[in-house]
Amino acid sequence: MRHRASYGTHDLLPEDSFKWQYLEERVRKIISFYNYKEIRTPIFEETDLFSRSIGEDTDIVQKEMYTFLDQGKRSLTLRPEGTAGVVRAYLEHSLGERFPLVKLFYFGLMFRQERPQKGRLREFNQFGVEAIGSLEPSLDAEMIELAVKTCLDLGITDFKLHVNSIGCPKCRPIHRDKFLGFMKDKVGELCEDCKTRYLRNPLRMFDCKKEECIDKLKDAPVMVDFLCEECKKHYELVKGFLNKLKIDYFEDKRLVRGLDYYTKTAFELKSKLLGTQDTLCGGGRYDLLVEELGGKSTPAIGFAAGIERYILALKMEKKLNLEEKSLDLFIAALGDEAKAFAMKLMKDLRAKNLICETDYLSRSLKAQMREADRQKAKKVLIVGKDEIKKGRAILKDMESGEQVEIELEKIRDSV
Ligand code: HAM
């Protein structure tokens, strides 16, 4: 029996991997202009880190984590997201004591046992950005601007920025009471998931995609109408900065996030081209998380983006018509002497950053020329025993078809 990749996972093949490399390189460059530095944290962490950070009552912790016991019977979990591990590392290495504001970014695999569909996988890639140590609304605006910039720079234009404020522990209970009161008579008519959410995590109802629930929630009280003075002022300032930066946004009063650590600013970039899994990236403030994980009270903000979704959006917008770098030189070498010459020549040319290839399948000259053509080689050098003896060989320009005889001694300057 042949094995297949596990349900919800995928292989990235060479025909696509260079597109991912392009995306990663560009994103890294953009992020570096904002002065964020890379952090790499482990792919698994203690389970408790995620339950405490993301929240016991979230879908992620309730049903989506890949949790296992290791040989020492410790409960470990494949990371479903990056923020918890970053904050754990921030505390473990006392980064806050060394730098007043810690600006970090990461790329990495995340794991969530969700029902796979377009844009939703069980093993997926994110890049994320976290700034730990400041409560200033200008930082929220920079973070949002950076998220927008990553899309625009790559060529994704069909997206909308949604922003909201989801308050803090001071103002949230007041809204929660009002919200629960409003929904009380309607609970019986909600879907099974929302019935559970009503008891455990009521705000998540706003994320329900079922018609019956959307309808019942139409006039439900929203958090932004209950913000305390501090949260209200913060939100107004963030919006003011966004206006200054000329960033279009939609004040989405129903925007809630799937993780419990958020406070104040929450935002998402959504694209209709993606279908139901329409969020390209999402994030917000998490001013209480550092303290929750044992540090001193430290405000923070961040976002993460799904790389598969960025790629999907780029494909939908037909912006991923990249050509892979082609061969600078293919050496059609016939016989052992020519092969030895080819090996040495390739070693020298690769040292000059040229992409070279030869034949390793003892093919005929005709087959080697076909291979050079298939690999879109810019030039082909044809060498056999006679050419080595003469010290001269044919160099063919594959685009123009022009052939010139050149001295093998001088080939290094002709490619
Ligand atoms: P999140 O909204 O759970 O936030 O995920 C961020 C992004 O990861 C989503 O917008 C989506 O593009 C992608 N994503 C999530 N789940 C999947 C999946 N199953 N398959 C494919 N892509 C997926 C977080 O993870 C937070 N840690 C973001 C953050 C950082 N907040 C503050 N700092």
Side-chain angles (χ1 to χ4, degrees), residues 60 64 80-84 106 110-114 117 119-130 257-259 261-262 268-269 274 277-286 301-310:
I60 297 181
E64 295 170 5
E81 59 102 50
T83 312
Y106 50 88
M110 307 292 157
F111 305 85
R112 296 184 194 176
Q113 195 163 346
E114 298 189 82
Q117 61 180 101
R120 188 161 75 188
L121 291 135
R122 293 186 164 182
E123 184 199 59
F124 60 98
N125 289 269
Q126 279 188 347
F127 69 85
V129 183
E130 316 285 354
R257 302 271 304 128
L259 306 96
Y261 48 60
Y262 292 108
E268 286 183 351
L269 302 188
L274 295 181
Q277 299 307 310
D278 60 354
T279 313
L280 285 160
C281 68
R285 281 211 157 267
Y286 50 95
I301 182 166
F303 77 88
I307 298 182
E308 285 80 1
R309 293 193 193 174
Y310 269 46

Side-chain angles (χ1 to χ4, degrees), residues 327-333 338-360 381 383 411-412 415:
L327 292 179
D328 292 300
L329 180 70
F330 186 93
I331 306 175
K339 274 187 202 293
F341 170 80
M343 298 310 295
K344 175 72 173 73
L345 178 58
M346 289 196 298
K347 184 175 177 227
D348 295 346
L349 293 178
R350 286 166 181 159
K352 287 170 65 184
N353 297 335
L354 294 173
I355 309 174
C356 309
E357 184 59 289
T358 188
D359 172 71
Y360 292 102
L381 180 74
V383 266
I411 173 80
R412 284 160 187 76
V415 182

Side-chain angles (χ1 to χ4, degrees), residues 148-187:
V148 170
K149 173 87 176 162
T150 58
C151 282
L152 291 179
D153 192 87
L154 288 166
I156 304 172
T157 52
D158 197 320
F159 66 87
K160 192 161 158 183
L161 164 63
H162 295 233
V163 291
N164 194 16
S165 174
I166 53 170
C168 70
K170 228 186 319 166
C171 42
R172 247 185 233 160
I174 307 166
H175 169 256
R176 192 186 155 99
D177 282 354
K178 279 269 190 280
F179 180 78
L180 292 177
F182 177 89
M183 293 305 293
K184 203 164 151 215
D185 306 336
K186 303 175 177 62
V187 184

Side-chain angles (χ1 to χ4, degrees), residues 18-19 314-315 317-324:
F18 74 97
K19 298 178 183 168
L314 284 167
K315 282 189 180 154
E317 291 199 39
K318 305 208 176 353
K319 303 275 176 55
L320 215 51
N321 306 326
L322 302 172
E323 287 281 331
E324 197 173 7

